[in-house]
């Protein structure tokens, strides 16, 4: 090949490529060619130019796969990691988390907590995250500065918080942020009504109307515990999923987070409307909230993404831990070791998460034309040897610390375990500042 006729910005030559399309396929002897932030081609090594000025990264002991998608979290709550552990959901929220947020949350808290979260996520392979928290405009600015891709879900409550006065105010700010970010490739804005028990039906109807008109996603905590469902039935005569469907809020752009307490009719509602489910196994387990029946959801054809939830209830933002837990929990719950094989767990953390967020045409798999959101994972350590099946090692043996490189839209954000866009010393210093401030009150 004539090098002068070959154009690209970057060539990555790994030991293995895990493209996720088709699911479970592992290839070797190929290179990933990146140009203008997108995957230009997957080429056999013999098709590459022998000499060129194009940047080439050879990673013979690595697998390259799509960047992981953390489909649900509250990034700034990383500053509350370990603050109120070992409590049930509602006492945890009402007696500890919400009072702490009332006392401390502001733009500075969100900026510092999200910076810490971004560093943790990048170091463990996440390149896209969905964030549901106050001051999303601060997170948007950080994404532009640090290069990560995100879906920002703007909170909606009936009561006042540091970011808004009530449902109409939250919705208005959501629409304004959407207008500000609509031309930014790495950001999408979705409505984030907290839950059916904190948002009135009239407000949910408004969200449904705007979401349909503007083709916006809706990200909502739903069926998180059996107690939540029972309370809803006692108060309204309906299960929360039925309420959302009646209000026109259940559809392909609806992202139902948690879904631990669900039965056959709930699953039928999800399948019939094309709604998405976001599974957060470690947070659900830690809070004793229940188990999402992912095997049954898969059998019904429902797409599932994977999320960590916030570090206040997990206590980490590590998607490798989440994949491992999701697979083992599904097997235990079903009493069947064939449920949730490694390739399905990885799918939830990549293409499944991308689809849940409405981003699967852009990210989630290594395919020509898609954004070059990629991670490289070193499989040469003793803990991943001998290497029979890269998929199994990634899901069952890796911890996230094996990630050495990451790119978003072809831009390097992590190289040889070094963050390129985040000042780690300053980020850790700010975390210590907040620990002292919060623990002293």
């Amino acid at each position: 090949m004539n090098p002068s006729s070959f154009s690209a910005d970057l060539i990555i030559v790994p030991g293995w490529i895990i493209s996720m399309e088709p699911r479970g396929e592992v290839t070797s002897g190929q290179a990933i060619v990146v140009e203008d932030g997108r995957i230009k081609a997957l080429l056999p090594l013999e098709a590459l130019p022998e000499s060129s000025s194009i940047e080439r990264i050879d990673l013979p002991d690595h697998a390259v796969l799509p960047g992981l998608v953390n489909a649900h979290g509250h990034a700034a709550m990383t500053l509350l990691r370990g603050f109120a552990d070992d409590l049930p959901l509602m006492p945890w929220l009402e007696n500890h988390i919400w009072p702490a947020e009332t006392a401390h949350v502001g733009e500075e808290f969100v900026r510092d907590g999200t910076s810490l979260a971004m560093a943790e996520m990048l170091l463990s392979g996440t390149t896209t995250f969905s964030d549901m928290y106050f001051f999303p405009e601060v997170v948007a600015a950080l994404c532009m500065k640090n290069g990560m891709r995100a879906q920002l879900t703007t909170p909606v409550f009936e009561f006042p918080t540091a970011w808004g006065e009530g449902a109409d105010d939250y919705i208005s700010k959501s629409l304004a942020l959407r207008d500000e970010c609509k031309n930014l490739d790495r950001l999408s804005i979705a409505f984030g009504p907290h839950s059916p028990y904190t948002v009135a039906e009239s407000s949910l109807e408004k969200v449904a109307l705007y979401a349909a008109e503007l083709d916006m996603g809706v990200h909502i905590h739903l069926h998180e515990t059996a107690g939540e469902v029972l309370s809803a039935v006692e108060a309204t005569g309906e299960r929360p999923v039925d309420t959302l469907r009646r209000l026109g809020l259940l559809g392909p752009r609806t992202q139902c987070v948690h879904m631990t307490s669900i039965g056959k009719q709930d699953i039928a509602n999800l399948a019939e409307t094309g709604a998405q489910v976001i599974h957060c196994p470690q947070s659900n387990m830690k809070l004793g909230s229940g188990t999402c029946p992912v095997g049954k959801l898969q059998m019904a054809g429902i797409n599932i993404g994977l999320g960590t939830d916030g570090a206040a209830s997990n206590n980490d933002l590590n998607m490798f831990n989440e994949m491992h837990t999701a697979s083992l929990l599904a097997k235990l719950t079903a009493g069947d070791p064939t449920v949730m094989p490694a390739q399905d767990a990885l799918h939830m953390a990549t293409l499944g998460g991308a689809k849940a967020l409405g981003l699967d045409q852009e990210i989630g798999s290594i395919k020509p034309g898609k954004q070059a959101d990629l991670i490289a994972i070193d499989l040469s350590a003793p803990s991943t040897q001998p290497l029979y099946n890269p998929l199994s090692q990634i899901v069952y043996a890796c911890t996230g610390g094996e990630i050495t490189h990451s790119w978003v839209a072809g831009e390097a954000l992590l190289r040889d375990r070094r963050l390129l866009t985040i000042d780690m010393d300053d980020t850790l210093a700010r975390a210590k500042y907040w620990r002292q401030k919060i623990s002293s009150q």
Side-chain angles (χ1 to χ4, degrees):
M1 174 180 290
N2 182 0
S4 64
S5 66
F6 187 94
S7 67
D9 301 319
L10 172 67
I11 298 172
I12 305 169
V13 186
W16 303 270
I17 295 173
I18 301 173
S19 68
M20 301 312 301
E21 289 193 84
R23 186 185 306 196
E25 182 176 86
V26 180
T27 60
S28 57
Q30 289 189 316
I32 302 168
V33 180
V34 177
E35 187 172 43
D36 295 329
R38 293 186 179 270
I39 299 164
K40 182 177 183 179
L42 300 178
L43 294 179
L45 301 187
E46 57 269 22
L48 298 176
E50 293 183 3
S51 62
S52 172
S53 60
I54 300 168
E55 180 184 8
R56 172 169 168 158
I57 300 177
D58 287 273
L59 300 168
D61 296 322
H62 291 62
V64 170
L65 54 151
L68 304 183
V69 179
N70 187 344
H72 176 68
H74 314 282
M77 292 182 77
T78 308
L79 293 178
L80 297 174
R81 189 197 321 264
F83 173 72
D85 282 340
D86 305 321
L87 296 168
L89 175 63
M90 294 316 296
W92 176 76
L93 281 174
E94 294 174 347
N95 301 332
H96 299 276
I97 297 302
W98 285 344
E101 289 179 323
T102 299
H104 298 290
V105 169
E107 291 189 13
E108 183 184 25
F109 179 97
V110 171
R111 183 186 66 246
D112 294 345
T114 303
S115 294
L116 182 64
M118 285 181 166
E120 180 180 356
M121 287 190 283
L122 282 172
L123 285 164
S124 55
T126 293
T127 56
T128 297
F129 67 104
S130 179
D131 191 44
M132 185 187 209
Y133 209 62
F134 310 107
F135 299 98
E137 65 276 12
V138 173
V139 182
L142 282 173
C143 288
M144 297 306 297
K145 174 179 178 288
N146 297 331
M148 289 191 76
R149 193 181 304 279
Q151 173 190 261
L152 305 181
T153 69
T154 52
V156 179
F157 295 96
E158 292 302 321
F159 49 81
T161 67
W163 192 62
E165 296 301 319
D168 287 342
D169 189 29
Y170 295 117
I171 291 171
S172 176
K173 289 180 176 179
S174 302
L175 296 172
L177 185 63
R178 175 191 175 273
D179 289 343
E180 292 173 13
C181 297
K182 63 184 178 182
N183 294 321
L184 301 178
D185 289 341
R186 300 188 195 185
L187 292 177
S188 59
I189 308 301
F191 287 109
H194 176 267
S195 62
Y197 59 85
T198 56
V199 184
E201 285 194 11
S202 58
S203 300
L204 291 173
E205 286 181 315
K206 291 178 183 177
V207 168
L209 179 65
Y210 283 117
E213 180 180 340
L214 300 172
D215 192 28
M216 292 176 65
V218 177
H219 192 88
I220 185 168
H221 298 100
L222 194 65
H223 285 236
E224 188 168 0
T225 66
E228 172 200 333
V229 177
L230 178 61
S231 295
V233 172
E234 290 176 345
T236 68
E238 285 184 323
R239 296 170 69 80
V241 161
D242 294 320
T243 300
L244 260 60
R245 185 167 189 179
R246 174 171 56 81
L247 297 175
L249 201 59
L250 202 64
R253 296 303 309 275
T254 310
Q255 303 156 25
C256 306
V257 182
H258 297 301
M259 300 304 290
T260 67
S261 183
I262 55 177
K264 291 181 179 180
Q265 186 56 45
D266 301 318
I267 293 173
N269 266 322
L270 296 170
E272 289 167 10
T273 58
Q276 314 293 323
V277 169
I278 310 297
H279 182 32
C280 303
Q282 288 198 339
S283 177
N284 292 339
M285 292 168 67
K286 183 167 180 281
L287 293 169
S289 298
T291 303
C292 178
V294 290
K296 293 179 181 178
L297 294 173
Q298 286 181 317
M299 290 179 62
I302 296 165
N303 181 62
I304 308 168
L306 194 63
T308 60
D309 210 344
S313 64
N314 187 309
N315 291 23
D316 62 61
L317 306 180
N318 188 317
M319 288 290 286
F320 282 84
N321 292 345
E322 219 67 38
M323 285 190 286
H324 192 171
T325 300
S327 181
L328 299 192
L329 182 61
K331 297 174 191 300
L332 178 64
T333 302
D336 182 354
T338 67
V339 171
M340 192 59 64
Q343 65 187 42
D344 287 357
L346 188 56
H347 182 272
M348 285 199 302
T350 53
L351 192 55
K355 182 177 180 180
L357 305 186
L359 299 174
D360 54 309
Q361 296 303 307
E362 291 291 309
I363 63 168
S365 61
I366 300 177
K367 182 179 179 181
K370 283 195 170 185
Q371 298 273 357
D373 289 17
L374 307 166
I375 58 175
I377 180 166
D378 187 351
L379 297 175
S380 66
S383 60
T384 51
Q385 293 294 319
L387 184 61
Y388 300 112
N389 182 346
L391 285 168
S392 291
Q393 302 296 55
I394 287 169
V395 173
Y396 299 130
C398 289
T399 64
E402 301 85 359
I403 299 295
T404 60
H405 297 69
S406 71
W407 299 265
V408 173
E411 177 189 0
L413 304 186
L414 182 73
R415 181 185 297 127
D416 296 321
R417 294 291 297 164
R418 183 172 66 88
L419 291 167
L420 303 180
T421 60
I422 297 175
D423 185 332
M424 183 64 86
D425 290 339
D426 179 68
T427 298
L428 293 176
R430 297 300 299 169
K432 291 179 180 177
Y433 160 80
W434 282 105
R435 176 185 59 80
Q436 294 169 353
K437 183 173 183 177
I438 294 171
S439 61
S440 66
Q441 295 181 356

